[in-house]
Amino acid sequence: GSCLESVKIAIDTGYRHIDGAFVYYNEHEVGQAIREKIAEGRIKREDIFYCGKLWNTCHPPELVRPTLEKTLKILQLDYVDLYIIELPMAFKPGDAIYPKDENGKIIYHETDLCATWEAMEACKDAGLTKSIGVSNFNRRQLEMILNKPGLKYKPVSNQVECHPYFTQPKLLEFCRQHDIVIVGYSPLGTSRDETWVNVSSPPLLKDPVLNAIGKKYNKTAAQVALRFSIQRGVVVIPKSFNPQRIRENFQIFDFSLTEKEMKEIEALNKNVRYVELLM
């Protein structure tokens, strides 16, 4: 229920881009929140930009459309605005989200990313999604799609980890050259959950530079980190269930960082990945 409430608060605050995924197990709540806000007359469907994701067990081309249709059924929406390949690797298809062998090792599956992409293009043609993109792709994997013979639609976005400790300058530049928008996840660093986070790395929001700049503008380190990304042309998707922080994260449009401050924050880059995707 906390997801339902958080999405409603976010919509009331002014958020319009909602980043979802089948494997977050909360798309039913997100869909309900969107539909309730539409019923209230607060928003129209076209005001919301919803991103859904194709999970690793669904890469075979014949599974792509049924998987998206399942997402739409859970959301109770007619289309998503963006549908992305969540990771450039495939797991063995089936009901298990993380299929494992008897030794507890993930069972991978060989698929052709270009064939998966063609199935994504067919979903766009069918009107099930307005746009298609990717996530966690590196330059080589992007080039594989971009150079695909008979490419119909190129990826509009690449969702990757991006924040002041992991600024992704080379990938950002490559994507800019190809009109691919970088969507930065974990723009505030991450929760310190050691099941999936590298907790040996320093917490981003304790950074003295971010806090000092925040003091100058009467903003939090989080607001400074988000503003930094937005000024670089990176879309941010901060995650929070805390109503006060949901509102705070949105209050970044009433100040600008100077060129000097942008450079100071850029210099914080440590090439630190919090989300190591060890699988």
Side-chain angles (χ1 to χ4, degrees):
S2 60
C3 173
L4 173 69
E5 284 314 307
S6 297
V7 174
K8 291 202 304 197
I9 289 165
I11 290 172
D12 285 343
T13 300
Y15 290 86
R16 294 296 178 260
H17 175 177
I18 299 170
D19 182 70
F22 172 69
V23 290
Y24 298 165
Y25 302 113
N26 59 10
E27 285 192 309
H28 57 292
E29 290 188 43
V30 177
Q32 188 185 336
I34 293 169
R35 291 193 315 276
E36 283 184 20
K37 286 294 161 190
I38 291 170
E40 280 175 25
R42 185 97 197 176
I43 49 166
K44 299 188 189 74
R45 167 63 186 95
E46 56 270 25
D47 296 334
I48 292 290
F49 185 91
Y50 186 84
C51 170
K53 303 188 183 83
L54 181 79
W55 181 240
N56 309 6
T57 52
C58 311
H59 280 208
E62 67 278 8
L63 296 181
V64 174
R65 180 169 176 160
T67 305
L68 173 50
E69 285 172 339
K70 190 175 178 181
T71 280
L72 293 173
K73 199 174 169 187
I74 294 168
L75 289 164
Q76 291 181 42
L77 297 174
D78 299 329
Y79 66 90
V80 292
D81 299 272
L82 175 63
Y83 198 54
I84 63 180
I85 300 174
E86 189 155 354
L87 283 150
M89 63 174 102
F91 295 166
K92 180 188 163 197
D95 293 331
I97 296 288
Y98 293 97
K100 290 181 178 166
D101 63 18
E102 60 279 5
N103 303 314
K105 293 266 189 293
I106 295 267
I107 305 170
Y108 296 98
H109 187 71
E110 199 168 306
T111 49
D112 173 359
L113 276 177
C114 289
T116 306
W117 186 254
E118 283 171 12
M120 297 282 283
E121 290 178 324
C123 288
K124 175 171 158 60
D125 281 337
L128 301 175
T129 179
K130 301 269 186 195
S131 297
I132 48 177
V134 296
S135 178
N136 297 303
F137 274 49
N138 61 26
R139 176 178 176 152
R140 184 178 62 84
Q141 291 149 347
L142 286 168
E143 282 178 336
M144 217 157 91
I145 304 283
L146 292 170
N147 299 331
K148 186 185 87 63
L151 180 73
K152 201 167 184 185
Y153 307 114
K154 64 180 191 181
V156 298
S157 61
N158 183 18
Q159 187 180 127
V160 293
E161 180 174 344
C162 193
H163 47 73
Y165 284 177
F166 194 52
T167 53
Q168 300 264 30
K170 285 182 181 169
L171 188 62
L172 186 58
E173 186 47 43
F174 176 79
C175 286
R176 271 199 190 121
Q177 287 165 3
H178 293 275
D179 284 329
I180 297 169
V181 175
I182 288 268
V183 178
Y185 67 73
S186 302
L188 304 174
T190 54
S191 65
R192 311 298 280 177
D193 179 345
E194 53 196 37
T195 58
W196 58 280
V197 170
N198 168 11
V199 288
S200 67
S201 46
L204 178 69
L205 300 184
K206 297 254 165 62
D207 188 89
V209 173
L210 295 179
N211 281 283
I213 293 172
K215 217 170 192 165
K216 173 185 162 186
Y217 293 105
N218 200 16
K219 294 287 179 184
T220 63
Q223 288 167 320
V224 171
L226 294 175
R227 181 72 212 179
F228 166 74
S229 287
I230 278 186
Q231 280 188 217
R232 301 174 78 217
V234 173
V235 173
V236 285
I237 42 174
K239 173 187 166 189
S240 181
F241 287 109
N242 175 315
Q244 187 195 337
R245 290 205 192 109
I246 289 172
R247 293 185 188 104
E248 253 177 28
N249 290 342
F250 198 77
Q251 289 160 357
I252 57 170
F253 302 104
D254 55 357
F255 76 111
S256 275
L257 299 167
T258 64
E259 214 168 302
K260 179 173 172 280
E261 287 161 347
M262 288 294 288
K263 287 202 161 60
E264 280 171 18
I265 300 172
E266 264 167 27
L268 299 176
N269 183 35
K270 305 178 192 309
N271 278 324
V272 158
R273 260 183 212 277
Y274 287 108
V275 185
E276 293 182 312
L277 300 170
L278 296 176
M279 83 298 235

